[in-house]
Amino acid sequence: MSLITKTFKYLFYAYLASTYKSLPGAYYIRFWFYAIRNIVLPIFTGKQTANIKKLQSDKYGVFKHNVLSTYCSFFEIDGYLHKSNSTYFEELDIARTDLMTKVFQKLFLTSKKWPYIPVAEVSTCFFKDIRPLQPYQVISNIFCWDKKWIYVLSKFTVNNGSTVVSLSITRYVLKDGRKTIRPADALQVCGIYNDEVEQISSENLAYMEANGGFENIQKLIEQNKEYGSL
């Protein structure tokens, strides 16, 4: 095998490695990695996890944020040579799975049935692009809830979290079979519900309803700085 052939072969391998997120089956591996780590392994290693203790020890634990750090691979690029808008939603899936299985870890581990949290709606606003191979972070946290829905705020950021390039709000519902679980009830089961977080949620809900369509995003950009990370 000639030197040129070997060079192209290794360059091709490097190219595949750099685009691992888009390889067949990669999505499922990434998704189930967090689900298994957060709600399956603790069944065998101990249900009173360090994560549960951390959340319960902080009265604002429900608002703690989760950070997914990754980069824009070549297979995520569109015709404009930046991260395709459609690929944002795959990263949202991964980031939100880690967040929700941590925040509601105790609910999953103590329920007689296996609850699940389906997505009902996602609203996204794009501000700036993400370039090929550019590192970025997806910072997600619960923003508010009402009697039925839970709203998760996710921010795509670059420059180590200092620049927000996209915002998404995801509407979730908690289900136990066909039965809907009220968010406040689920948070009480998890030991992270109190009057103060309910008040913050009510204020955030009112803000979101008054600023539908991301007309006023400053509060969304600043959200979760003070509550810490998971």
Side-chain angles (χ1 to χ4, degrees), residues 39-88:
I39 60 178
V40 176
L41 288 182
I43 295 175
F44 306 100
T45 60
K47 294 184 178 182
Q48 190 59 23
T49 66
N51 171 68
I52 291 175
K53 293 176 182 178
K54 181 179 180 179
L55 288 171
Q56 292 179 341
S57 66
D58 186 341
K59 64 180 179 180
Y60 302 116
V62 63
F63 297 118
K64 285 186 177 296
H65 65 268
N66 185 72
V67 181
L68 172 70
S69 297
T70 182
Y71 63 92
C72 177
S73 69
F74 290 115
F75 282 171
E76 295 177 276
I77 300 169
D78 63 13
Y80 297 103
L81 299 182
H82 57 63
K83 181 174 172 62
S84 172
N85 289 357
S86 63
T87 64
Y88 284 71

Side-chain angles (χ1 to χ4, degrees), residues 39 47 52 56 100-117 150 174-176 181-183 185-192:
I39 60 178
K47 294 184 178 182
I52 291 175
Q56 292 179 341
M100 298 299 272
T101 53
K102 282 180 177 177
V103 172
F104 293 102
Q105 187 178 52
K106 187 173 181 180
L107 177 71
F108 281 103
L109 294 176
T110 59
S111 294
K112 293 181 180 179
K113 296 182 179 179
W114 195 264
Y116 64 104
I117 315 175
I150 297 171
L174 282 162
K175 303 291 286 187
D176 189 1
I181 307 173
R182 294 177 66 250
D185 293 340
L187 295 175
Q188 286 177 334
V189 169
C190 295
I192 52 177

Side-chain angles (χ1 to χ4, degrees), residues 18-168:
S18 71
T19 58
Y20 73 95
K21 292 189 295 181
S22 302
L23 295 177
Y27 168 84
Y28 300 101
I29 294 173
R30 298 176 70 208
F31 179 91
W32 285 107
F33 168 79
Y34 292 109
I36 292 172
R37 185 186 69 176
N38 295 336
I39 60 178
V40 176
L41 288 182
I43 295 175
F44 306 100
T45 60
K47 294 184 178 182
Q48 190 59 23
T49 66
N51 171 68
I52 291 175
K53 293 176 182 178
K54 181 179 180 179
L55 288 171
Q56 292 179 341
S57 66
D58 186 341
K59 64 180 179 180
Y60 302 116
V62 63
F63 297 118
K64 285 186 177 296
H65 65 268
N66 185 72
V67 181
L68 172 70
S69 297
T70 182
Y71 63 92
C72 177
S73 69
F74 290 115
F75 282 171
E76 295 177 276
I77 300 169
D78 63 13
Y80 297 103
L81 299 182
H82 57 63
K83 181 174 172 62
S84 172
N85 289 357
S86 63
T87 64
Y88 284 71
F89 297 96
E90 180 173 321
E91 297 304 324
L92 284 173
D93 268 354
I94 307 303
R96 293 179 315 215
T97 296
D98 192 21
L99 172 75
M100 298 299 272
T101 53
K102 282 180 177 177
V103 172
F104 293 102
Q105 187 178 52
K106 187 173 181 180
L107 177 71
F108 281 103
L109 294 176
T110 59
S111 294
K112 293 181 180 179
K113 296 182 179 179
W114 195 264
Y116 64 104
I117 315 175
V119 171
E121 181 183 18
V122 182
S123 300
T124 300
C125 185
F126 301 98
F127 310 124
K128 299 179 180 180
D129 59 9
I130 296 177
R131 300 184 303 274
L133 297 181
Q134 183 176 13
Y136 64 90
Q137 305 78 38
V138 187
I139 304 172
S140 302
N141 67 285
I142 291 179
F143 186 59
C144 59
W145 56 86
D146 56 23
K147 292 182 179 180
K148 180 179 180 180
W149 306 106
I150 297 171
Y151 297 88
V152 171
L153 171 66
S154 299
K155 296 183 290 189
F156 284 76
T157 68
V158 296
N159 302 325
N160 295 318
S162 62
T163 304
V164 177
V165 299
S166 177
L167 280 174
S168 293

